């Protein structure tokens, strides 16, 4: 029996503001438990929220970057449910007038472009952290409220995805876009980017959607994909056995690689949304919206396509470059200095990225400046140094941030292009390797490679290979 | 709008109240009376009337993204019915 | 004893002139409290230590001719749903029995900055839910004019205290008449400011879109003084308006010549007690004699106000009170097993019946499938009620009407009939729903010798005009001077 898989994703991203959404508490990650709390984020009696302007504008920026229609009149609503990490037992969120609605993002799945629609984008407050002690027989849980009240962006997609590949591309693309806009650090390991999936199956060709199952507790993109695969097979088995799919919420168990029921439709929560009376509504005028629009940078896909078009980079290279905004910014800076996009691209995605990974460097704060890499590549191009030398200079630049010229002078690395100097060396080599010359005369043409090698060795790699080649060829002709 | 004992049990669970059968009976009848009284609103046509959430319309009030002092952890924890180390403590929450 | 019956302004003058020391006043006051409050039961917490500390401070300042605040040396009582730093704040509920706020409400900070002397916290209906102060988990406050009668509510403690000369002024809070109705029933002045005139920060929320803090005083001038102190912008309450605060005492004596007074027919319908009606009619005659013009007006949606109120107020309350869960502060039930048992038992043991009733009604009105039929419908009718006032205030300067349809009723008389109790707020609720200011002043007594209140309403932020109109009545009558016999 063939089924069509229908997948929708809910994404939560913590906004990287200095303070929380409704109070002046610090949002820094990894602080001592319960040291970033105040009466407001603890939901004490009589306290009131005041909205963080930065958080609101970040959310607006994201909504625009995700091509949403902005609700010119928007406000907050209360979403009520009891949970010990939720101080007021209601979450201040948005329901009736979401900040952004009906957006979309463009994803690429094996080189085909595809549109995934965004249902809505809204701003809400983060909950605290529950800790469940491991020790046997622990009959209690502990709460750290440092995260409670951190501004959270929720992005709800339409159920537009049909397979794992699309889901993966959606997550990657969305992550890139959010990261490019600079509103969140998107660190999944720190929980600042999280996904929840809802999956339903329907007989191929059928219009009506099947009952959807929501899956929570997915703390990496891998587990999202694994959980969805598991769910697809679970549901199709049930359907094949002629059983009904129940509408429910399931929790993914990473260790056992399976999901377990959390609550069924009957137990579905009644959130009792109503407008937050402690906060006044917001009106977003053209002027404000445009000023936020102006802060949105060129987004990954556009940038990639521009790289391919105007620098003749391969799709693959452009992808690698635009993976990280910093990296592609670095590249653009270089190109401004020397117009050698292909060479620069190779240096960046091979040498630079390798160094960054090995030495755990942060591209934003590299010692080596784009202009420096540019001039290095320039010197290779004009023959001042060879590739081999360049590598040596490069690793020095990464560590010290010195100008390539300085390094070359200090180490006397600049290439020998003076013919007489090279002829001297060549003669020396010919004299000291008579049998190689013999072999060459006997017709062993590859002996020449050995001789060139010796010349380079003699010149500590600084002889200009092109010139060495020509001189040697002439010499050997003479010997013939 | 009459309110059944099932309704009462439902709102009690939403409200996190534990009610005796006696209480359920009393509350049900009292709520029934009030809801009956509230019915009178349906005599009004509010088709083209906007809801009034706030008495008057001020909009776009914000604070800047600036740190303000929090309260000391000891102080916060001292108000709690149960704590453990640096944490607030509650009965086991099953995920 | 005479001194204690002075108004706040009078006692302040005596203290500043050096005629008497604040310390002596505080001393006398506590003596009287210990003597009389065992019958009245208006206080939940007394703060002698800090009261005397502050009094000595004032006396020192006065002696050294240092500058002092606007409320220098005035002993004041604060309703116990307003947070006071390091002083228990219970909302008259078991669930907050031991709660000591680590912060001051905005208004309390203002009181302290202006050198008033906070003597204690007063009784109320639990979480301000009630009209008789019988719903307190700790004590039933009694009406100083007749202790078999209720003082009204929910600010019954504050009203009774001021009425019985146990405090020179007090803070109350309103959601549907909780300042004006007890003020009327206790023969004192009660003022509900425009919504947004006074910061709600530190007022334990009942209904966020209706709650306001206001003065309960012995006369109109004291109300003007206290309002000036507590009103104004607060960066911690975004629903608090950034509109400058005048000195309300300025021009309070301007009189009512040429003032147009609207008389809403709907407020003189059946259900209005005969004695109240007479008192109000006489008051209107007085205004006429003072040169005001009486104009009949109509507020056609008045009859829907109570219904709207019980949906909106309780919907918000059901959510505002969900934070009392026994996790971060307040009461937690003993030997509980699961988390849900902790919630249910702590809340069931911690809250009284009226709170439970209202929270359940609110949750019902918001629960899935009912939001539109109840909350949204009510919010629309709320708009109609506001529009009624907008229209009337195009024609008149103010509206004058009874504060409460009846004088104080007997203790326990209405407690088992919620709806009847709710209906006693019928004349006060519309001002909360629309957000306009309103004041209640003494205007007579019933045959049983119980006080009757006259209500004056004006347009948004027209407290100055409202006080002027109230003052001119007070200056030409002496109902406010007739004290309970204690
Ligand atoms: Mg959400
Ligand atoms: Zn905080």
């Amino acid at each position: 029996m063939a089924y069509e898989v229908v997948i929708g994703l809910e994404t939560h991203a913590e906004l990287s503001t200095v303070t929380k959404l409704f109070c002046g508490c610090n949002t820094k990650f990894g602080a001592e438990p319960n040291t970033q709390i105040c009466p407001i984020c603890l939901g004490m009696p009589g306290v009131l929220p005041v909205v963080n302007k930065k958080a609101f504008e970040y959310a607006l920026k994201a909504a625009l970057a995700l091509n949403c229609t902005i609700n010119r009149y928007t406000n907050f609503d209360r979403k009520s449910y009891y949970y010990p990490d939720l101080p007021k037992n209601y979450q201040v969120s948005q329901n009736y007038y979401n900040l952004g609605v009906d957006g979309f993002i463009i994803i690429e799945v094996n080189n085909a472009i595809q549109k995934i629609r965004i249902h809505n984008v809204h701003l809400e407050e983060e909950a605290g952290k529950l800790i469940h002690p491991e020790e046997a027989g622990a009959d209690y849980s502990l709460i750290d409220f440092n995260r409670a009240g951190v501004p959270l962006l929720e992005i709800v997609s339409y159920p537009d995805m049909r397979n794992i590949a699309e889901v993966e591309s959606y997550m990657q693309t969305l992550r890139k876009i959010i990261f490019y806009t600079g509103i969140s650090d998107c660190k999944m390991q720190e929980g600042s980017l999280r996904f929840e999936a809802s999956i339903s199956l329907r007989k191929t060709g059928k219009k009506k959607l099947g009952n959807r199952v929501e899956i929570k507790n997915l703390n990496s993109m891998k587990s999202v994909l694994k959980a969805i695969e598991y769910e697809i097979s679970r549901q199709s088995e049930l359907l094949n056995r002629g059983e009904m799919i129940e509408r429910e919420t399931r929790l993914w168990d990473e260790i056992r690689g399976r999901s377990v029921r959390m609550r069924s439709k009957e137990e579905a929560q009644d959130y009792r949304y109503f407008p937050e009376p402690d906060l006044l509504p917001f009106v977003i005028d053209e002027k404000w919206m445009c000023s936020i629009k102006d802060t949105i940078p060129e987004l990954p896909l556009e940038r990639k396509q521009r790289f391919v078009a105007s620098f003749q980079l391969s799709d693959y290279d452009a992808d690698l470059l635009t993976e990280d905004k910093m990296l592609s910014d670095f590249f653009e800076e270089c190109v401004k200095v020397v117009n050698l996009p292909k060479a620069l691209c190779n240096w960046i995605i091979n040498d630079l990225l390798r160094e960054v990974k090995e030495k755990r460097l942060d591209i934003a704060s590299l010692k080596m400046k784009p202009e420096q890499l540019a001039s290095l590549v320039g010197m290779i191009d004009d023959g001042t140094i060879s590739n081999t030398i360049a590598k040596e200079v490069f690793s020095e630049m990464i560590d010290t941030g010195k100008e390539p010229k300085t390094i070359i002078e200090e180490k006397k690395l600049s290439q020998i292009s003076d013919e007489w100097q090279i002829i001297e060396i060549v003669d020396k080599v010919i004299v000291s390797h008579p049998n190689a010359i013999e072999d060459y005369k006997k017709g062993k043409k590859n002996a020449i490679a050995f001789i060139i090698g010796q010349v380079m060795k003699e010149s500590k790699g600084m002889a200009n290979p092109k010139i060495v080649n020509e001189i040697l060829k002439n010499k050997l002709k003479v010997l013939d | 709008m009459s309110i059944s004992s099932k309704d009462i049990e439902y709102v009690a669970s939403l409200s996190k109240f534990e009610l005796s059968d006696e209480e359920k009976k009393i509350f049900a009848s009292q709520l029934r009376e009030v809801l009956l009284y509230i019915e009178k609103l349906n005599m009004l046509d509010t088709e083209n009337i906007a809801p009034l959430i706030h008495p008057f319309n001020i909009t776009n009030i914000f604070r800047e993204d600036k740190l303000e002092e929090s309260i000391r952890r000891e102080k916060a924890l001292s108000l709690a019915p149960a704590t453990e180390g640096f944490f607030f403590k509650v009965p086991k929450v099953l995920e | 004893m005479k001194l204690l019956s002075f108004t706040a302004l009078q006692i302040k003058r005596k203290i500043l002139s050096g005629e008497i020391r604040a310390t002596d006043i505080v001393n006398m006051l506590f003596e009287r409290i210990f003597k009389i409050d065992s019958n009245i039961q208006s206080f939940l917490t007394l703060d002698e230590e800090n009261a005397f500390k502050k009094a000595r401070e004032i006396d020192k300042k006065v002696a050294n001719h240092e500058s002092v605040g606007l409320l220098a040396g005035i002993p004041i009582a604060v309703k116990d749903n307003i947070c006071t730093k390091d002083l228990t704040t219970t909302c008259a509920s078991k669930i907050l029995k031991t709660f000591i706020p680590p912060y001051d409400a905005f208004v309390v900070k203002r009181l302290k900055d202006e050198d008033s002397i906070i003597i204690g916290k007063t009784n109320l209906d639990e979480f301000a839910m009630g009209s008789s102060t019988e719903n307190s988990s700790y004590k039933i406050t009694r009406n100083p004019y007749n202790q078999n009668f209720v003082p009204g509510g929910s600010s019954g403690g504050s009203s009774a205290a001021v009425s019985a000369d146990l405090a020179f002024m007090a803070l109350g809070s309103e959601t549907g008449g909780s300042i004006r109705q007890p003020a009327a029933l206790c023969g004192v002045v009660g003022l509900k400011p425009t919504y947004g005139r006074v910061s709600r920060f530190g007022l334990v929320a009942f209904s966020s879109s209706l709650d306001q803090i206001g003065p309960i005083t012995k006369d109109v001038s004291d109300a003007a003084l206290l309002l000036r102190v507590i009103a104004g912008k607060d960066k911690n309450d975004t629903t608090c308006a950034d509109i400058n605060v005048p000195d309300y005492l300025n021009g309070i004596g301007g009189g009512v010549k040429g003032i147009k007074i609207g008389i809403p027919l709907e407020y003189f319908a059946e259900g209005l007690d005969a004695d109240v009606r007479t008192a109000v009619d006489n008051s209107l005659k007085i205004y006429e004699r003072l040169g005001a013009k009486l104009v009949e007006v109509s507020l056609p949606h008045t009859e829907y106000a109570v219904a709207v109120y019980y949906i909106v107020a309780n919907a918000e309350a059901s959510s505002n009170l969900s934070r009392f869960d026994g996790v971060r502060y307040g009461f937690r039930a003993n030997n509980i097993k699961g988390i849900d048992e902790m919630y249910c038992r702590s809340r069931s043991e911690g809250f009284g019946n009226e709170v439970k009733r209202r929270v359940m009604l609110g949750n019902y009105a918001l629960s899935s499938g009912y939001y539109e039929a109840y909350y949204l419908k009510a919010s629309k009718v709320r708009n109609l009620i506001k529009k009624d006032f907008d229209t009337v205030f195009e024609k008149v300067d103010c509206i004058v009407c009874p504060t409460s349809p009846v004088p104080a009723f007997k203790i326990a008389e209405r407690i088992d009939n919620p709806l009847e109790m709710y209906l006693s707020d019928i004349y006060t609720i519309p001002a909360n729903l629309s957000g306009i200011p309103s004041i209640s002043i003494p205007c007579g007594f019933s045959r049983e010798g119980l006080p009757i209140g006259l209500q004056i309403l004006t347009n948004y932020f027209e407290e100055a005009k409202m006080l002027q109109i109230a003052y001119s009545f007070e200056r030409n009558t002496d109902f406010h001077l007739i004290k309970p016999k204690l």
Side-chain angles (χ1 to χ4, degrees):
Chain A
M1 181 70 76
Y3 301 108
E4 184 185 28
V5 182
V6 179
I7 307 163
L9 241 53
E10 249 182 51
T11 308
H12 285 91
E14 283 181 355
L15 302 179
S16 38
T17 50
V18 178
T19 65
K20 294 184 178 180
L21 182 50
F22 299 123
C23 64
C25 287
N26 203 325
T27 58
K28 200 156 11 72
F29 180 82
E32 277 273 292
N34 292 307
T35 52
Q36 296 174 348
I37 53 176
C38 75
I40 295 167
C41 53
L42 282 177
M44 288 200 171
V47 300
L48 297 168
V50 183
V51 178
N52 180 334
K53 185 166 196 199
K54 181 71 136 290
F56 190 89
E57 294 190 324
Y58 273 1
L60 183 52
K61 189 175 179 181
L64 289 165
L66 298 171
N67 308 296
C68 287
T69 306
I70 301 301
N71 263 320
R72 296 315 187 86
Y73 172 98
T74 178
N75 70 338
F76 286 100
D77 299 300
R78 290 182 182 180
K79 177 184 186 181
S80 296
Y81 62 94
Y82 278 79
Y83 211 69
D85 64 5
L86 188 65
K88 302 180 290 301
N89 290 308
Y90 60 79
Q91 178 193 36
V92 178
S93 180
Q94 299 189 285
N95 181 62
Y96 298 111
Y97 298 94
N98 289 303
L99 193 49
V101 295
D102 296 325
F104 66 86
I105 65 171
I106 300 295
I107 65 170
E108 279 183 308
V109 183
N110 34 54
N111 301 327
I113 291 278
Q114 206 171 321
K115 189 182 201 178
I116 304 293
R117 292 168 306 152
I118 304 288
H119 180 276
N120 78 74
V121 172
H122 65 264
L123 183 56
E124 62 187 21
E125 58 181 337
E126 176 74 284
K129 189 155 137 275
L130 267 174
I131 294 118
H132 308 288
E134 293 306 322
E135 87 244 27
D139 58 350
Y140 60 91
S141 301
L142 301 173
I143 319 169
D144 171 6
F145 286 107
N146 283 352
R147 306 310 292 159
V150 167
L152 202 57
L153 186 75
E154 180 170 339
I155 302 156
V156 183
S157 86
Y158 276 92
D160 282 358
M161 287 158 274
R162 296 290 175 271
N163 56 56
I164 297 289
E166 292 175 11
V167 173
E168 181 162 27
S169 173
Y170 174 83
M171 291 192 291
Q172 294 291 2
T173 312
L174 191 60
R175 202 198 95 262
K176 263 200 236 176
I177 294 173
I178 296 172
F179 194 68
Y180 263 59
T181 56
I183 61 163
S184 170
D185 61 19
C186 296
K187 290 181 181 162
M188 290 201 77
Q189 68 279 17
E190 290 180 9
S192 52
L193 185 68
R194 313 191 292 267
F195 297 96
E196 283 168 15
S198 66
I199 301 121
S200 67
L201 265 57
R202 62 178 167 192
K203 285 218 186 65
T204 333
K206 285 267 180 302
K207 262 254 143 291
K208 191 177 168 305
L209 288 169
N211 279 335
R212 84 167 188 279
V213 173
E214 287 168 41
I215 303 175
K216 296 183 181 293
N217 192 38
L218 305 166
N219 24 32
S220 74
M221 291 196 188
K222 264 197 199 59
S223 46
V224 173
L225 301 176
K226 273 194 276 171
I228 292 177
E229 265 166 352
Y230 175 88
E231 186 57 23
I232 293 172
S233 58
R234 191 189 69 90
Q235 287 190 27
S236 30
E237 275 169 31
L238 285 171
L239 290 171
N240 289 339
R241 274 192 257 113
E243 291 179 38
M244 275 286 295
I245 301 296
E246 215 187 316
R247 184 165 171 195
E248 60 176 330
T249 305
R250 301 176 68 84
L251 278 179
W252 176 248
D253 179 337
E254 185 64 41
I255 297 112
R256 290 182 188 69
R258 60 183 171 79
S259 64
V260 290
R261 160 171 296 187
M262 182 182 164
R263 72 176 94 92
S264 73
K265 186 168 183 289
E266 291 69 42
E267 314 158 73
Q269 273 162 315
D270 184 342
Y271 291 125
R272 288 154 285 152
Y273 283 103
F274 78 104
E276 163 60 285
D278 283 331
L279 291 169
L280 299 163
F282 302 90
V283 175
I284 302 164
D285 61 16
E286 199 59 34
K287 191 166 154 295
W288 191 15
M289 204 171 83
C290 292
S291 68
I292 298 299
K293 244 201 200 102
D294 294 343
T295 65
I296 299 173
E298 179 186 31
L299 296 173
L301 187 59
E302 307 153 32
R303 178 168 272 192
K304 175 193 161 181
Q305 289 167 339
R306 181 166 57 84
F307 283 4
V308 173
S310 46
F311 300 135
Q312 291 74 44
L313 300 182
S314 74
D315 226 57
Y316 175 81
D317 290 355
D319 248 336
L320 279 177
L321 271 183
T322 50
E323 177 63 34
D324 180 332
K325 183 169 185 300
M326 300 299 174
L327 199 65
S328 47
D329 288 344
F330 193 96
F331 169 76
E332 295 231 65
E333 288 310 307
C334 295
V335 178
K336 281 194 199 130
V337 184
V338 277
N339 188 18
L340 298 165
K342 190 81 194 82
L344 285 162
C345 172
N346 289 334
W347 275 92
I348 290 172
I349 62 184
N350 302 321
D351 307 79
L352 179 56
L353 276 187
R354 189 190 55 247
E355 293 279 345
V356 166
K357 280 200 186 59
E358 280 172 6
K359 302 183 175 151
R360 290 212 176 60
L361 303 172
D362 171 16
I363 297 168
S365 52
L366 276 181
K367 287 216 185 80
M368 180 183 71
K369 299 285 157 270
E371 307 70 35
Q372 299 174 327
L373 179 60
S375 61
L376 179 72
V377 173
M379 284 187 275
I380 304 166
D381 187 61
D382 66 22
T384 319
I385 54 172
S386 69
N387 246 304
T388 355
I389 305 268
K391 303 266 179 207
E392 192 179 338
V393 177
F394 178 82
S395 53
E396 173 98 15
M397 284 162 73
I398 285 283
D399 298 339
T400 63
K402 280 188 196 159
E403 287 298 326
K405 283 198 173 44
T406 328
I407 299 169
I408 290 165
E409 278 155 20
E410 283 175 359
K411 300 195 155 186
K412 313 220 163 13
L413 292 175
S414 71
Q415 201 162 199
I416 306 167
S417 304
D418 166 4
E419 294 208 8
W420 290 117
Q421 243 181 304
I422 295 176
I423 288 171
E424 260 178 42
I425 303 168
V426 171
D427 290 344
K428 206 161 153 227
V429 170
I430 290 174
V431 173
S432 50
H433 297 85
N435 20 4
I437 306 298
E438 280 313 304
D439 294 349
Y440 178 79
K441 287 183 180 159
K442 292 205 190 86
K444 285 198 184 148
K445 293 294 168 224
N446 62 344
I448 194 164
F450 170 78
I451 301 166
I452 290 173
Q454 292 305 312
V455 174
M456 293 314 285
K457 191 163 167 222
E458 190 59 34
S459 72
K460 304 198 182 54
M462 275 181 287
N464 183 327
K466 277 205 225 70
I467 303 175
V468 172
N469 231 315
E470 288 158 16
I471 293 176
L472 197 58
K473 281 221 181 70
N474 299 337
K475 289 256 173 203
L476 295 172
K477 275 207 203 72
V478 177
L479 290 170
D480 279 334
Chain B
M1 178 58 61
S2 93
I3 176 161
S4 67
S5 63
K6 199 169 175 306
D7 294 331
I8 272 290
E9 277 164 18
Y10 180 60
V11 284
S13 72
L14 285 179
S15 313
K16 297 293 180 193
F17 295 150
E18 189 177 68
L19 303 180
S20 69
D21 294 352
E22 189 48 34
E23 287 174 312
K24 282 179 202 162
K25 257 206 242 74
I26 299 164
F27 283 132
S29 73
Q30 289 170 332
L31 283 186
R32 204 173 291 120
E33 194 186 8
V34 175
L35 288 170
L36 213 63
Y37 175 78
I38 284 167
E39 284 290 295
K40 65 159 58 209
L41 293 183
N42 299 328
M43 304 190 307
L44 286 173
D45 171 20
T46 50
E47 197 50 44
N48 310 311
I49 309 297
L52 181 82
I53 308 300
H54 290 99
F56 42 80
N57 46 4
I58 304 172
T59 57
N60 300 14
I61 311 282
F62 294 105
R63 45 170 272 272
E64 292 310 311
D65 185 22
K66 292 215 174 62
L67 283 175
E68 282 155 45
E69 66 167 303
S70 312
I71 49 170
R72 282 179 28 257
R73 173 167 60 192
E74 298 64 34
K75 183 81 194 163
L77 292 172
S78 73
L79 296 167
T83 60
E84 168 116 350
F86 294 143
F87 298 93
F88 294 82
K89 188 178 184 183
V90 292
K92 184 149 199 67
V93 183
L94 315 130
E95 288 275 330
Chain C
M1 206 46 42
K2 175 98 174 53
L3 277 175
L4 296 185
S5 63
F6 280 19
T7 68
L9 271 166
Q10 288 167 340
I11 211 68
K12 175 183 158 190
R13 277 191 215 98
K14 285 202 174 300
I15 291 168
L16 295 189
S17 69
E19 252 177 279
I20 29 160
R21 301 181 317 150
T23 327
D24 301 326
I25 296 295
V26 172
N27 219 335
M28 283 189 245
L29 198 65
F30 277 110
E31 266 176 34
R32 181 172 170 83
I33 291 171
F34 294 134
K35 183 147 145 287
I36 289 176
D37 204 43
S38 46
N39 317 328
I40 306 298
Q41 302 278 325
S42 56
F43 283 94
L44 288 174
T45 312
L46 290 170
D47 191 7
E48 273 180 281
E49 191 191 339
N50 287 305
F52 278 107
K53 199 156 140 273
K54 187 75 183 180
R56 283 192 293 273
E57 208 180 288
I58 303 300
D59 291 334
K60 194 127 132 279
K61 281 190 182 177
V62 173
N64 309 340
H65 308 291
E66 292 172 41
S67 67
V68 292
L70 285 166
L71 302 177
I74 301 172
I76 185 166
V78 177
K79 189 179 181 180
D80 207 27
N81 62 341
I82 299 173
C83 290
T84 41
K85 191 171 192 293
D86 303 329
L87 184 61
T88 326
T89 300
T90 67
C91 296
S93 178
K94 275 207 206 68
I95 212 156
L96 285 180
K97 188 169 190 195
T98 59
F99 180 63
I100 299 172
Y103 45 89
D104 269 328
F106 174 84
V107 290
V108 170
K109 200 181 169 311
R110 295 289 299 125
L111 293 185
K112 291 178 176 175
D113 294 347
E114 295 298 337
D115 287 333
S116 71
I117 300 171
I118 295 172
I119 53 176
K121 308 294 294 290
T122 55
N123 196 21
L124 63 149
D125 289 294
E126 185 176 10
F127 285 99
M129 294 176 174
S131 313
S132 67
T133 318
E134 292 167 289
N135 298 326
S136 166
S137 324
Y138 299 109
K139 45 174 70 171
I140 291 179
T141 301
R142 293 161 183 280
N143 191 310
Y145 285 85
N146 182 333
Q147 291 161 33
N148 302 322
F149 288 73
V150 302
S154 65
S155 308
S158 288
S159 304
V162 172
S163 165
D165 292 330
L166 304 179
F168 283 84
M169 26 171 66
L171 285 183
S173 76
E174 271 228 8
T175 305
S178 285
I179 289 172
R180 290 163 289 158
Q181 185 256 14
L185 272 46
C186 290
V188 293
V189 173
L191 188 157
K192 182 205 89 81
T194 306
Y195 181 85
R197 175 77 288 188
V198 176
S199 167
R200 294 183 294 115
F201 188 89
L203 167 66
V204 180
F206 163 6
S207 175
S208 310
S209 76
L210 299 167
D211 296 344
Q212 269 292 289
I213 295 171
I216 293 172
T217 56
K218 296 180 180 185
D219 72 2
V220 173
S221 306
D222 282 359
L225 173 67
L226 185 47
L227 179 61
R228 178 190 176 184
V229 168
I230 60 175
K233 188 189 192 322
D234 171 15
K235 66 171 177 49
N236 295 319
D237 178 2
T238 57
T239 63
C240 183
D242 185 6
I243 295 175
N244 88 303
V245 182
D247 176 353
Y248 293 108
L249 283 167
N250 265 343
I252 197 170
V256 291
K257 230 175 221 54
I259 291 271
K260 283 212 204 71
I261 294 176
I263 302 155
L265 303 169
E266 294 80 2
Y267 285 55
F268 294 83
E270 33 80 52
L272 176 57
D273 173 274
D275 294 359
V276 176
R277 168 145 214 159
T278 320
V280 174
D281 287 342
N282 296 334
S283 310
L284 290 168
K285 287 197 191 73
I286 292 171
Y287 269 121
E288 225 170 359
R289 230 184 41 235
L290 294 170
K293 283 193 195 54
L294 305 186
V295 188
E296 282 195 347
V297 296
S298 170
L299 297 161
H301 297 94
T302 304
E303 64 165 307
Y304 302 100
V306 175
V308 169
Y309 175 80
Y310 276 91
I311 294 171
V312 172
N314 295 334
E316 292 182 11
S318 67
S319 147
N320 283 330
L321 270 61
S322 61
R323 72 187 55 196
F324 302 103
D325 57 4
V327 175
R328 286 143 289 117
Y329 50 80
F331 172 77
R332 180 190 292 190
N334 293 325
N335 42 55
I336 28 125
K337 277 156 227 74
I339 189 81
D340 209 60
E341 190 188 341
M342 181 194 72
Y343 288 141
C344 294
R345 291 232 344 262
S346 304
R347 288 170 60 83
S348 302
E349 295 169 31
F351 288 131
N353 284 339
E354 184 58 21
V355 171
K356 286 178 189 163
R357 242 189 315 270
R358 299 204 192 196
V359 167
M360 286 194 286
L361 176 59
N363 273 322
Y364 183 82
L366 289 175
S367 62
S368 123
Y370 293 136
Y371 174 78
E372 255 134 60
Y374 287 106
Y375 181 83
L376 211 58
K377 178 77 181 183
S379 302
K380 289 176 172 187
V381 179
R382 182 180 179 181
N383 202 357
L384 292 173
I385 290 165
K386 176 205 192 294
K387 286 176 159 59
D388 282 357
F389 284 108
D390 293 345
T391 324
V392 167
F393 284 124
E394 285 168 12
K395 296 198 286 295
V396 299
D397 296 290
C398 70
I399 291 166
V400 173
C401 59
T403 305
S404 161
V406 293
F409 42 89
K410 280 212 172 58
I411 287 167
E413 189 181 285
R414 299 189 172 192
I415 198 67
D416 297 328
N417 187 340
L419 188 56
E420 194 189 356
M421 184 76 89
Y422 298 169
L423 287 169
S424 62
D425 295 332
I426 186 152
Y427 299 152
T428 45
I429 281 174
N432 302 86
L433 291 176
S434 61
I436 59 173
S438 167
I439 190 171
S440 176
I441 57 175
C443 77
F445 289 86
S446 70
R447 265 160 284 183
E448 287 163 298
L450 293 161
I452 293 169
L454 183 73
Q455 184 177 206
I456 304 161
L457 307 92
T458 54
N459 212 340
Y460 296 103
F461 297 100
E462 287 184 358
E463 280 84 357
K465 187 200 272 180
M466 183 174 81
L467 285 158
Q468 179 184 331
I469 294 164
Y471 179 78
S472 115
F473 179 88
E474 183 183 78
R475 196 177 45 179
N476 295 279
T477 56
D478 51 16
F479 304 110
H480 62 293
L481 300 175
I482 301 161
K483 298 267 174 183
K485 295 168 192 45
L486 291 161

